[in-house]
Amino acid sequence: QKEVEQNSGPLSVPEGAIASLNCTYSDRGSQSFFWYRQYSGKSPELIMSIYSNGDKEDGRFTAQLNKASQYVSLLIRDSQPSDSATYLCASYNFNKFYFGSGTKLNVKP
Amino acid sequence: GAVVSQHPSRVICKSGTSVKIECRSLDFQATTMFWYRQFPKQSLMLMATSNEGSKATYEQGVEKDKFLINHASLTLSTLTVTSAHPEDSSFYICSARDFGRQGIGEQFFGPGTRLTVL
């Protein structure tokens, strides 16, 4: 079992809609969680970090963490075609980061 | 935000040569840096964790003598691919942890180096 699991997608949403990306993790000791966006041929870019249960909002992005369910999500409001990318979920524990394989998001104009 | 640079961005070399890639944290000090490689349409693969002033910790299956890592200062780590072969062609990405912004040590990535070995 992988440490961090993500649906590979692709997830297709129309422009202006809310995109919901999900991630589960296996280690209950994981301390913090991160969402990265990676465009094709580029390196990952940090979007959000979260370490407390609940929601954390930053602009059009909201990260949600539920430690009881070992579940992390990223909501993108008012999705734009420029949001089309692969989104990587990562957890951190004992000086090590664990990355999911990523969910490909397509935002259709 | 935290900025990590990587140089060179692209390198083409002949089989058997060595290639050095530099990774720098520009606006913060990084005691820990990471080196990843990524093949097309595949996920990130951690190669090694580099700690300033000590030996790097390599992941299982990564050859220490082939991928030499040096973390000589709080802002610079280097990866040297020794005696490169075509199968080493890949996208190499470094990252660094910044404890300054939120205190939890977020990881920021460099732009990557695309290595092609002929």
Side-chain angles (χ1 to χ4, degrees):
Chain A
Q1 181 188 8
K2 287 186 179 179
E3 181 70 27
V4 176
E5 300 268 10
Q6 293 182 258
N7 188 317
S8 61
L11 172 67
S12 291
V13 299
E15 183 174 356
I18 296 175
S20 177
L21 303 159
N22 306 312
C23 165
T24 58
Y25 60 95
S26 60
D27 187 351
R28 284 195 176 275
S30 297
Q31 300 157 348
S32 46
F33 305 87
F34 308 87
W35 282 99
Y36 289 85
R37 176 175 61 197
Q38 186 175 24
Y39 292 111
S40 181
K42 303 293 185 181
S43 66
E45 172 192 9
L46 180 65
I47 298 174
M48 297 276 291
S49 59
I50 187 167
Y51 51 90
S52 299
N53 268 330
D55 295 0
K56 180 181 178 183
E57 188 175 319
D58 184 359
R60 295 187 297 114
F61 300 98
T62 299
Q64 299 175 318
L65 173 59
N66 184 325
K67 290 187 177 180
S69 301
Q70 296 176 237
Y71 181 90
V72 192
S73 65
L74 179 70
L75 301 178
I76 307 174
R77 288 181 298 281
D78 188 24
S79 295
Q80 301 297 310
S82 58
D83 294 325
S84 298
T86 296
Y87 289 79
L88 305 173
C89 173
S91 68
Y92 172 76
N93 197 14
F94 294 117
N95 201 34
K96 202 156 186 178
F97 289 84
Y98 299 90
F99 281 85
S101 55
T103 298
K104 187 173 175 62
L105 172 66
N106 289 329
V107 181
K108 297 181 178 180
Chain B
V3 180
V4 177
S5 71
Q6 217 174 312
H7 179 79
S9 58
R10 185 179 296 269
V11 59
I12 300 173
C13 69
K14 291 182 179 180
S15 185
T17 60
S18 294
V19 174
K20 179 185 278 190
I21 303 170
E22 290 189 350
C23 177
R24 293 181 185 273
S25 56
L26 297 185
D27 52 358
F28 65 101
Q29 293 184 326
T31 54
T32 303
M33 292 184 170
F34 303 92
W35 287 95
Y36 295 83
R37 65 189 296 183
Q38 189 175 37
F39 293 106
K41 299 189 185 301
Q42 294 189 21
S43 54
L44 291 172
M45 187 195 87
L46 178 66
M47 298 175 66
T49 301
S50 169
N51 294 299
E52 188 266 337
S54 64
K55 290 184 179 180
T57 302
Y58 290 82
E59 295 299 300
Q60 193 172 8
V62 177
E63 298 176 59
K64 300 178 185 181
D65 296 332
K66 181 165 188 63
F67 299 100
L68 301 179
I69 292 173
N70 184 286
H71 193 156
S73 77
L74 288 172
T75 59
L76 173 64
S77 177
T78 61
L79 167 69
T80 301
V81 183
T82 62
S83 186
H85 291 284
E87 58 266 28
D88 298 323
S89 298
S90 187
F91 190 40
Y92 292 85
I93 315 172
C94 74
S95 69
R97 294 191 70 188
D98 179 15
F99 287 89
R101 290 196 336 150
Q102 297 196 45
I104 59 173
E106 294 170 322
Q107 185 178 183
F108 293 90
F109 286 86
T113 297
R114 196 163 300 282
L115 171 64
T116 303
V117 185
L118 303 176

